[in-house]
Amino acid sequence: MRRRSLLALAPVGLAGACGLVPGDADRRTVTVWLMKDSASQDFLRRFTERFEREHADLRLDIRIQQWTGIGQKVQAALDSASGHGPDVIEVGNTQVPQYVEGDRLLDLTLESLRWGRRDWLPGLAEPGQQTSHQYGIPWYAANRVVIYRKDLFARAGVTAPPRTREDWLAVTRHLDSGAVQGIYLAGQDWYTLAGFIWDEGGDLADDREGGGWRGALDTPAALRGMDFYRRLQSLGRGPAASDEEHPPQAGVFAEGRVAQIVAVPGQARAIVQQNPGLKEKIGFFPVPGRTPHRPGAVFTGGSDLVVPNNTRERDGAVAVVAALTGARWDTDLARTMNYVPNRKSLAKAVAGEEGVAAMAAGAAQGRATPATPQWGAVEADNPIKPYMTKVLTGADPATEARRASRRITEVLNRLG
């Protein structure tokens, strides 16, 4: 997941809080870089104490990193020959491909087979793969759901959330009345568009024709996804020329005249902070799919754990990854932080929390952005956003999709 941008080493180690016996020099140190706010201090304390009890020859040095600038820092650590860098690194799931290049990550394919990778969420597991080899091990996930006003649904006579896209359109059309927007959907919310495109069998870019990666917004499937986005977005007053952060959609929802937004469940906290009166009126449901049998596809953000090839503590690093991503501690993290666990079979662990349960249901259909190291450059240039705006303001979808696809191809080829 490209989450804010990536950091600088904040040298906050947890070794001093792990209950080691002073002077215990026989332990080998495993240095772990984890990102700020990925796990609570209490979780890390509990994990460290248990891990060190179970691995008498190892001690953990967990160093918390900031997201800003982390990309360059990770690249430098992977290229270093000093042997004093991190042994385990948390990275955004969609960032793994750029770090795999140059044989800089440990191949964990055999380990992944033992760790049950067939049960992993595809949106976390697939970006961590390259040519069937597994380099990134899924840790936790987060994805979009529909946040809705239960009272407005009830007032409109809607007794249950919609389960198909066509029902969603019908319900939203019914809700879009008077001062109330049926849905607030910004015109350039391209992550939400990606889910609709995936549902139709399309993609943002592909390499299926053997000629390298190319933009794929102009395929019939992708155009169908854009058409659904257009129909849904028209049932509210979301700005066609900006994304969900301009203005922040949580603030728009908090004003009290919006029935639905598509967002991660955590945005409900921001809504309630701005309008406490909505606390008991907010509900969640998975983004509906084409049929009632499964939710719609969604972009899965989150983190994988990787082991640099230049580690001097290979076995210790693998032991840390196995423990953190195993069922016991992954479930603990999900409950502590309201994440989706890394395995589909663990979804029941968060079933008691409505927003997280809706997120977990969607995560089973989760996807990630195209698994090419150059995709970050596409996002920086992002021809998808103006394409969406042009379609929503009346331009010919096929023409604009071809133009945007050519630009995506140009960016990928320029850097590839």
Side-chain angles (χ1 to χ4, degrees):
M1 177 184 190
R2 289 183 74 246
R3 337 215 326 199
R4 319 185 261 277
S5 23
L6 299 136
L7 139 65
L9 199 160
V12 182
L14 294 179
C18 59
L20 287 175
V21 177
D24 187 355
D26 293 332
R27 291 178 183 257
R28 306 189 319 276
T29 298
V30 179
T31 301
V32 182
W33 284 7
L34 299 180
M35 303 311 300
K36 185 178 185 295
D37 298 328
S38 287
S40 68
Q41 289 292 310
D42 182 62
F43 172 88
L44 295 176
R45 176 190 57 77
R46 288 185 285 107
F47 174 78
T48 299
E49 289 177 352
R50 175 58 71 96
F51 183 87
E52 291 181 344
R53 281 202 303 269
E54 295 176 349
H55 299 80
D57 59 333
L58 299 175
R59 66 184 296 168
L60 295 185
D61 179 12
I62 298 178
R63 303 187 180 190
I64 304 303
Q65 312 294 311
Q66 304 294 326
W67 283 106
T68 302
I70 192 62
Q72 298 89 334
K73 188 170 186 177
V74 171
Q75 298 281 13
L78 296 179
D79 292 336
S80 174
S82 71
H84 300 302
D87 303 296
V88 176
I89 307 175
E90 175 192 351
V91 300
N93 59 322
T94 63
Q95 295 165 346
V96 179
Q98 65 184 287
Y99 300 137
V100 171
E101 286 190 310
D103 193 32
R104 296 179 299 169
L105 296 183
L106 194 66
D107 186 342
L108 298 171
T109 304
L110 293 179
E111 288 81 359
S112 72
L113 294 172
R114 294 198 302 271
W115 297 340
R117 75 175 185 180
R118 291 181 180 176
D119 192 28
W120 288 342
L121 297 177
L124 290 181
E126 290 172 2
Q129 296 173 6
Q130 189 174 82
T131 61
S132 300
H133 291 264
Q134 193 76 41
Y135 296 92
I137 305 302
W139 192 21
Y140 65 84
N143 52 266
R144 288 162 175 75
V145 301
V146 182
I147 301 177
Y148 76 104
R149 285 277 300 275
K150 293 180 177 180
D151 58 325
L152 295 181
F153 270 54
R155 190 182 308 166
V158 182
T159 58
R163 296 180 59 197
T164 70
R165 292 196 333 197
E166 290 305 316
D167 285 346
W168 192 19
L169 284 175
V171 166
T172 304
R173 190 175 296 111
H174 187 51
L175 290 163
D176 191 41
S177 176
V180 174
Q181 299 184 56
I183 190 168
Y184 179 86
L185 184 60
Q188 296 183 348
D189 186 351
W190 69 275
Y191 280 122
T192 296
L193 169 64
F196 301 154
I197 289 174
W198 292 327
D199 254 359
E200 294 290 345
D203 212 333
L204 306 174
D206 65 58
D207 62 349
R208 290 175 235 173
E209 296 181 4
W213 286 91
R214 60 171 295 278
L217 295 175
D218 54 343
T219 63
L223 287 168
R224 290 194 300 271
M226 183 64 223
D227 184 64
F228 179 79
Y229 190 99
R230 178 190 59 77
R231 289 191 288 158
L232 183 65
Q233 197 270 346
S234 70
L235 300 175
R237 294 184 286 281
S242 61
D243 62 25
E244 66 275 21
E245 292 300 325
H246 301 90
Q249 62 178 343
V252 178
F253 191 95
E255 293 174 1
R257 295 184 294 275
V258 171
Q260 306 170 89
I261 57 174
V262 181
V264 294
Q267 292 230 346
R269 288 192 293 271
I271 292 168
V272 172
Q273 285 175 352
Q274 296 175 67
N275 187 346
L278 295 180
K279 183 175 182 180
E280 303 302 325
K281 300 176 180 178
I282 292 176
F284 311 84
F285 60 87
V287 172
R290 296 179 65 193
T291 73
H293 305 298
R294 65 180 188 181
V298 288
F299 169 74
T300 301
S303 286
D304 285 9
L305 299 180
V306 300
V307 177
N309 243 340
N310 59 12
T311 177
R312 291 187 177 182
E313 288 296 341
R314 181 193 186 283
D315 292 345
V318 170
V320 170
V321 173
L324 276 173
T325 63
R328 174 182 182 173
W329 287 105
D330 207 75
T331 298
D332 190 321
L333 181 71
R335 289 172 173 161
T336 299
M337 304 299 295
N338 287 340
Y339 292 144
V340 178
N342 61 4
R343 306 169 193 224
K344 289 176 280 188
S345 63
L346 296 179
K348 59 183 179 294
V350 293
E353 173 61 44
E354 183 184 1
V356 183
M359 191 162 58
Q365 313 303 325
R367 296 278 299 274
T369 49
T372 164
Q374 285 77 43
W375 185 256
V378 174
E379 290 194 23
D381 184 81
N382 214 330
I384 305 172
K385 287 186 171 185
Y387 156 65
M388 297 172 72
T389 296
K390 289 175 181 176
V391 173
L392 294 177
T393 53
D396 177 62
T399 300
E400 298 304 328
R402 284 193 296 272
R403 181 175 290 118
S405 294
R406 283 196 299 270
R407 180 57 186 165
I408 291 172
T409 303
E410 289 170 3
V411 174
L412 293 176
N413 289 341
R414 184 184 73 218
L415 296 171

